[in-house]
Amino acid sequence: MAFGKLIDILKKQNRPAADLEFVEKAYHFAAQAHQGQKRKSGDPFIVHPLSTATRLAEMQLDTKTVAAALLHDTCEDGDCNRSHIKNLFGEEIAFLVEGVTKLDKIRYKGSERSAESLRKMFLAIGEDIRIVLLKLVDRLHNMETLQYLPPEKQKRIARETLEIYAPLAYRLGMSKLSSKLEDLSFPYVYPDEHDWLIRTTKEKYQTWGKYLERIKPVLVEELLKEEIKFLNVDSRIKHYYSLYRKLLKHDMDLAKITDIAALRIILTSVEDCYAALGIIHKLWPPVPGQIKDYIALPKPNGYRSLHTTVFGPQNNLVEIQLRTKEMHEEAEHGIAAHWAYSEYKKDSNKNRDRRGVSFADQKQFSWINQIKEWQKDIENPDEFLESLKIDFFKDRIFVLTPKGDVVDLPEGSTPIDFAYHIHTDVGTTATGAKVNGKMVPLDHKLEVGDLVEILVQKGRKPSSDWLKFVKSGEARRKIMSTIRKVQDEKLFQKHGGEKAEFKITARDRVGLIRDLTDIFARQKISIQGMLTDEKNKNYPLINIKATLKNRRELEKLMLKLKEVKEVKEVGFKLLS
Ligand code: MN
């Protein structure tokens, strides 16, 4: 991968000379910073940022993102000299590079935490969609060179790619990138299934490929005859991981899958898409119920096309997809394609088929409502950048544990909220906290992306002052419960015993009262009074009074009472 190639791409896109100089400066800085470093493949390290930058340039991302891609790993060891980069390249580049570095801290463990919340968090920490795009392309190159890593790392990274990165790319409408990430991960995550699939489908893929090549000229001829303008007719074969997923839904039966192979026609206007659909249906009859109009009703990720499945020659089922060039670019590059339009194709906007570009009017990316905002025509570049900031998780913040696990908390949360979320014991025994390596007070307000560490001391008890600043209901509940326990304990100690009243709600049954009193008897506690309130006939309220020696005795009793058959609820009150 040579730097010349990157410059050639940028030149072809007619970017200003100043932009080329800027990128060159970033390249030299990165080459210097990575001098002597090698990738696990043995390649000089600079190959990696250069490959990332080149891909982003091909996707027509703005010059700043391309430059940030070149610099993105120069801060890797946390000792990033942000001010150095800021001085040399400006605040925006420093912000992008820092964002990528922040995202690097996140680790997906594939355990109890849902992948979905991790994806959202990824976007929230990304702040600027360009950081997310950079990270996705960065991951693509890392996946392409995964074979050089030790097997354990391969598996972890591939799984993370499959669960987080690929779906994220898909959500952003970048289906080409998403498919590539999936197919690169597939053999590492499901090696046996992958081998099986390749073995079983090899012949089928070849047969289908040949068949499509044979029928393509028939279709082309028909379109020409009807004077339909089209730019390209291409065949596409379903990518492996997508086929695997589909097979899982269809009893692993290849015969049940009709869209392994498809013909894709790129046309010049929306009208021609519909006209061509009619012509195809005259040529080959459609399978009823298989016509999908994603132009009128785009997929949630913004995908638009017409799909139909027809009975082709020899009665083979063939899927045919029709779309305009804009739709095609959007289908392949999603959000990145739109970014490119706004930046470099503004001038030609007027000449374009309005329906082809009315991206903003569609319910695109409904998942990310804020992104709709920047899909509207924005004239002012500053405003445009501002609108790229993702702040749609206004009421939630995502912070990290020292191991890189993600914790999702209400906005305004403090280290105490964090501690209770990790574990009740961590909350109860918390004595101090570090945020991003620095000591902070326990009421410190956490921010998105903070790395939080809690210092604990055995035997410590929560302070009622904490109730003044905690934000999460979870922490509040747990603090109150502990404080109550401590208070009760003090009462027991003061009097050497306490009179307690138990309130038990249970469904009435024969022998209920006997079972309850037995529990007291077995613990050698004498009952001092018992009342049964039968206002609710089926669920009587039973009230028992007894004197207990200490809090432990009380807790043991509570546990036993709750275990009695048909008991629904047990509460207690100390009477002194
Ligand atoms: Mn990287």
Side-chain angles (χ1 to χ4, degrees), residues 39 45 48-49 52 69 72-73 76 100 104 134-135 138-139 142:
R39 296 273 293 174
F45 193 92
H48 167 68
T52 309
H72 84 269
D73 275 332
E76 199 135 74
V100 174
D104 279 335
L134 203 164
K135 199 71 195 114
D138 166 63
R139 176 53 60 105
N142 285 336

Side-chain angles (χ1 to χ4, degrees), residues 63-86:
T63 302
K64 296 224 166 92
T65 309
V66 175
L70 287 167
L71 300 167
H72 84 269
D73 275 332
T74 59
C75 288
E76 199 135 74
D77 304 323
D79 191 28
C80 167
N81 201 339
R82 192 187 195 279
S83 59
H84 194 40
I85 289 194
K86 191 183 152 184

Side-chain angles (χ1 to χ4, degrees), residues 250-281:
H250 293 88
D251 317 313
M252 303 311 271
D253 185 356
L254 261 179
K256 287 184 185 157
I257 296 171
T258 56
D259 65 343
I260 296 177
L263 282 179
R264 186 178 280 159
I265 313 174
I266 314 293
L267 299 108
T268 54
S269 73
V270 174
E271 287 75 15
D272 283 345
C273 290
Y274 288 104
L277 185 70
I279 289 160
I280 291 163
H281 287 166

Side-chain angles (χ1 to χ4, degrees), residues 217-260:
V218 183
L219 181 64
V220 167
E221 198 187 335
E222 198 66 21
L223 292 173
L224 289 173
K225 208 168 77 193
E226 300 282 343
E227 294 182 346
I228 296 285
K229 284 191 211 108
F230 62 92
L231 299 167
N232 191 20
V233 179
D234 215 348
S235 52
R236 82 106 183 86
I237 294 185
K238 208 171 191 58
H239 75 277
Y240 281 113
Y241 189 66
S242 159
L243 177 59
Y244 173 66
R245 247 187 342 225
K246 205 146 192 182
L247 278 168
L248 285 178
K249 278 196 234 156
H250 293 88
D251 317 313
M252 303 311 271
D253 185 356
L254 261 179
K256 287 184 185 157
I257 296 171
T258 56
D259 65 343
I260 296 177

Side-chain angles (χ1 to χ4, degrees), residues 34-257:
H34 294 304
Q35 195 156 49
Q37 294 175 5
K38 288 229 185 307
R39 296 273 293 174
K40 284 277 186 299
S41 60
D43 283 334
F45 193 92
I46 191 70
V47 167
H48 167 68
L50 191 51
S51 145
T52 309
T54 304
R55 275 220 172 85
L56 290 164
E58 281 168 346
M59 287 158 69
Q60 302 187 36
L61 266 110
D62 68 313
T63 302
K64 296 224 166 92
T65 309
V66 175
L70 287 167
L71 300 167
H72 84 269
D73 275 332
T74 59
C75 288
E76 199 135 74
D77 304 323
D79 191 28
C80 167
N81 201 339
R82 192 187 195 279
S83 59
H84 194 40
I85 289 194
K86 191 183 152 184
N87 286 340
L88 281 172
F89 301 101
E91 172 59 34
E92 198 178 330
I93 298 282
F95 164 75
L96 292 172
V97 172
E98 192 183 39
V100 174
T101 312
K102 259 190 190 173
L103 286 184
D104 279 335
K105 289 189 211 141
I106 300 162
R107 289 277 176 275
Y108 174 60
K109 299 271 170 48
S111 55
E112 71 279 15
R113 261 180 254 293
S114 87
E116 179 62 15
S117 83
L118 200 56
R119 273 175 234 138
K120 285 180 181 168
M121 182 273 322
F122 200 93
L123 285 172
I125 291 186
E127 286 180 277
D128 183 320
I129 197 75
R130 292 175 300 170
I131 295 172
V132 177
L133 297 181
L134 203 164
K135 199 71 195 114
L136 288 171
V137 174
D138 166 63
R139 176 53 60 105
L140 178 60
H141 187 251
N142 285 336
M143 285 306 300
E144 284 167 343
T145 50
L146 198 63
Q147 75 248 46
Y148 303 105
L149 294 188
E152 207 160 284
K153 264 192 161 176
Q154 286 176 342
K155 198 149 189 147
R156 182 186 71 73
I157 294 173
R159 182 171 284 280
E160 187 179 72
T161 304
L162 207 54
E163 305 282 339
I164 307 297
Y165 289 76
L168 194 56
Y170 184 80
R171 288 285 186 82
L172 296 171
M174 306 164 80
S175 63
K176 201 172 178 182
L177 181 58
S178 165
S179 307
K180 268 190 195 163
L181 289 171
E182 282 181 345
D183 274 0
L184 287 165
S185 314
F186 188 20
Y188 295 102
V189 181
Y190 304 109
D192 298 339
E193 292 83 346
H194 179 260
D195 285 353
W196 173 84
L197 190 76
I198 300 285
R199 254 184 292 121
T200 343
T201 56
K202 206 177 162 194
E203 216 171 293
K204 188 119 184 158
Y205 267 50
Q206 278 171 357
T207 320
W208 273 104
K210 278 186 201 149
Y211 179 74
L212 289 181
E213 285 310 309
R214 235 182 26 249
I215 67 167
K216 201 167 97 177
V218 183
L219 181 64
V220 167
E221 198 187 335
E222 198 66 21
L223 292 173
L224 289 173
K225 208 168 77 193
E226 300 282 343
E227 294 182 346
I228 296 285
K229 284 191 211 108
F230 62 92
L231 299 167
N232 191 20
V233 179
D234 215 348
S235 52
R236 82 106 183 86
I237 294 185
K238 208 171 191 58
H239 75 277
Y240 281 113
Y241 189 66
S242 159
L243 177 59
Y244 173 66
R245 247 187 342 225
K246 205 146 192 182
L247 278 168
L248 285 178
K249 278 196 234 156
H250 293 88
D251 317 313
M252 303 311 271
D253 185 356
L254 261 179
K256 287 184 185 157
I257 296 171

